[in-house]
Amino acid sequence: MGAGFFWPNRMDLSKGPARVPGMAIDVKLLERICKAPGAPGFETRIRNLVLEELEGLADEVRVDAIGNVVAFKKGKSSKKKVMAAAHMDEIGFIVTHIDKGGFLRFNPLGGFDPKTLTSQRVLVHGREDLIGVMGSKPIHIMSQEERNKPPKLDDFFIDLGLPVAKVEKLVTIGDPITRERELVEMGDCVNVKSLDNRASVFLLLETLRLLKKSRRKPAYDFHGVFTVQEEVGLRGANASTLEIQPDFSFGLDTTIAFDTPDAKPQERCTRLGEGVAIKIMDSSVICDYRMVEFMKSVAAGKKIRWQPEILRAGGTDTAGLQRMTPGGSIAGAVSLPTRHIHQVIEMCHKQDIADAIKLLAACVCELDKHDWSF
């Protein structure tokens, strides 16, 4: 169990009210969720873990045809429907070729920064899980021209340390590959692979747990959806939104915290430890201004520290939630500031995650108290 971290009282209207003491997060559960493999289209193991953790937290749990997990919780009113979506899949790879030496070639499933892959360990999910390492040409034998060029995904292969005969018995074309990393706590933060978007899977599970513990009912019928294949095009969220047709919706995902030494102030987007982020826009969605104002007012009323998020590139399930229903839904997003995103490891602040849980739980319970007129 991780400890909560709090700041002295201060008021900054641009970032919400001062932090007040709140809850710690279950770091052990977060670790299990992050370590479970689940490349896009291959979410079976993370889905099974989610189903296990949902036991007793919802009125109904089901898996749809594409593989989304839908947890339904009855609201105080059934006049409207609310949907929150957190994608289960993580960026990964898929085996495309086994050469005569037993080395693997692969295609990406989701976006990677190639320069972060050199000599990193991965897990190849064949007939059994096999540890491999991302290999490339040693710098000692590179030409000057090769040294000066940024690496490309095509420059890498996966070395399993096995003879080709054994590789061919255990690995087939089409097997998924994920990153291999343990969770470590670094100061006030957690550092592990796949926080994008397992931190939000954790957020949605813990929101449902908080609602049960506090015996609070959502304002309207609530559908918490753990979606598939977000990293390759919001596919699970689109399918689920078409079915549920929510009136209100919340995307749950990570966002960039570019608060490192080389960042210009206007590039930072969010900062770790400054609270949950309320999305205003990204390249795929402009959040409904009514939802943004509602979320800000809830955060202020509950003394939850928050920060605004404007992301110039990238998108989340929020875009599908907003558009894939007749007439659209009133959509917003709860975002978790994350450093080193889409790299081998990622980092979130524990208190930001705790704040996100409190914000989402409060929002789904108070939707009926807001004036939603234009």
Side-chain angles (χ1 to χ4, degrees):
M1 180 73 69
F5 295 86
F6 313 112
W7 280 252
N9 287 335
R10 63 184 188 270
M11 182 64 73
D12 181 344
L13 293 178
S14 69
K15 297 176 181 174
R19 188 182 305 281
V20 296
M23 60 187 180
I25 67 166
D26 185 346
V27 175
K28 291 298 183 184
L29 174 59
L30 178 61
E31 180 178 25
R32 288 178 60 218
I33 292 170
C34 288
K35 289 178 66 176
F42 300 90
E43 295 93 350
T44 300
R45 283 159 72 172
I46 180 60
R47 178 167 46 245
N48 288 343
L49 193 158
V50 167
L51 289 168
E52 175 188 329
E53 289 298 323
L54 281 172
E55 185 72 31
L57 298 184
D59 297 312
E60 177 187 333
V61 177
R62 60 185 175 83
V63 180
D64 67 16
I66 200 172
N68 299 312
V69 176
V70 184
F72 172 75
K73 196 167 182 66
K74 188 71 175 172
K76 291 180 288 185
S77 169
S78 296
K79 291 181 178 179
K80 296 184 183 296
K81 290 180 283 187
V82 186
M83 178 176 169
H87 71 88
M88 296 183 289
D89 58 308
E90 59 181 315
I91 54 174
F93 307 96
I94 189 167
V95 177
T96 59
H97 180 68
I98 303 170
D99 73 14
K100 294 179 180 179
F103 300 106
L104 308 182
R105 296 289 182 167
F106 54 87
N107 280 351
L109 294 174
F112 272 94
D113 181 354
K115 72 175 183 291
T116 69
L117 296 178
T118 301
S119 300
Q120 299 296 335
R121 287 191 296 272
V122 295
L123 287 170
V124 179
H125 305 288
R127 289 184 174 86
E128 60 185 67
D129 287 348
L130 300 169
I131 292 181
V133 63
M134 285 283 185
S136 60
K137 190 174 184 178
I139 194 169
H140 311 74
I141 56 175
M142 285 183 181
S143 67
Q144 192 61 46
E145 182 182 3
E146 289 174 320
R147 293 185 187 190
N148 291 336
K149 285 183 178 178
K152 305 185 299 295
L153 282 176
D154 289 345
D155 297 331
F156 293 93
F157 55 86
I158 294 173
D159 182 357
L160 297 174
L162 296 172
V164 63
K166 188 162 188 180
V167 172
E168 290 176 337
K169 287 181 180 179
L170 298 174
V171 181
T172 59
I173 305 304
D175 285 341
I177 304 161
T178 59
R179 294 161 290 175
E180 189 276 327
R181 273 294 180 273
E182 300 292 319
L183 183 145
V184 295
E185 295 185 61
M186 299 174 59
D188 301 344
C189 300
V190 287
N191 185 288
V192 65
K193 64 99 176 173
S194 305
L195 282 167
D196 177 15
N197 189 36
R198 302 301 174 70
S200 296
V201 170
F202 176 83
L203 155 62
L204 184 50
L205 283 169
E206 292 298 270
T207 297
L208 289 165
R209 202 180 316 277
L210 179 59
L211 292 176
K212 179 183 179 181
K213 185 176 180 181
S214 63
R215 298 184 179 179
R216 297 177 69 191
K217 273 197 168 186
Y220 303 111
D221 286 355
F222 178 65
H223 303 258
V225 185
F226 302 84
T227 63
V228 297
Q229 298 191 46
E230 188 271 353
E231 294 291 1
V232 290
L234 320 185
R235 297 170 189 179
N238 287 346
S240 192
T241 306
L242 281 167
E243 180 190 16
I244 293 169
Q245 298 188 11
D247 299 281
F248 302 98
S249 58
F250 298 90
L252 313 176
D253 213 323
T254 55
T255 190
I256 291 172
F258 187 37
D259 53 352
T260 50
D262 51 346
K264 299 174 183 177
Q266 68 270 23
E267 296 176 325
R268 285 174 180 159
C269 188
T270 64
R271 293 173 177 266
L272 259 60
E274 292 292 335
V276 57
I278 296 174
K279 186 185 291 291
I280 297 172
M281 67 170 288
D282 58 36
S283 66
S284 70
V285 68
I286 298 174
C287 292
D288 194 298
Y289 72 88
R290 294 167 295 174
M291 180 62 81
V292 173
E293 290 306 313
F294 167 68
M295 294 173 71
K296 289 179 181 179
S297 68
V298 170
K302 301 296 182 183
K303 295 183 170 58
I304 300 168
R305 190 164 175 79
W306 65 273
Q307 53 187 312
E309 178 212 355
I310 294 179
L311 183 61
R312 285 188 285 177
T316 70
D317 278 343
T318 315
L321 296 172
Q322 185 184 58
R323 297 198 289 269
M324 299 301 290
T325 184
S329 73
I330 299 175
V334 177
S335 297
L336 291 168
T338 307
R339 284 186 196 146
H340 321 303
I341 203 163
H342 274 226
Q343 298 186 29
V344 176
I345 49 85
E346 297 163 336
M347 182 184 291
C348 288
H349 196 287
K350 289 181 279 190
Q351 189 59 50
D352 293 343
I353 298 173
D355 287 340
I357 296 165
K358 290 184 287 183
L359 179 62
L360 180 60
C363 283
V364 299
C365 290
E366 298 186 11
L367 284 163
D368 56 343
K369 298 178 181 179
H370 190 70
D371 180 3
W372 294 102
S373 60
F374 283 105

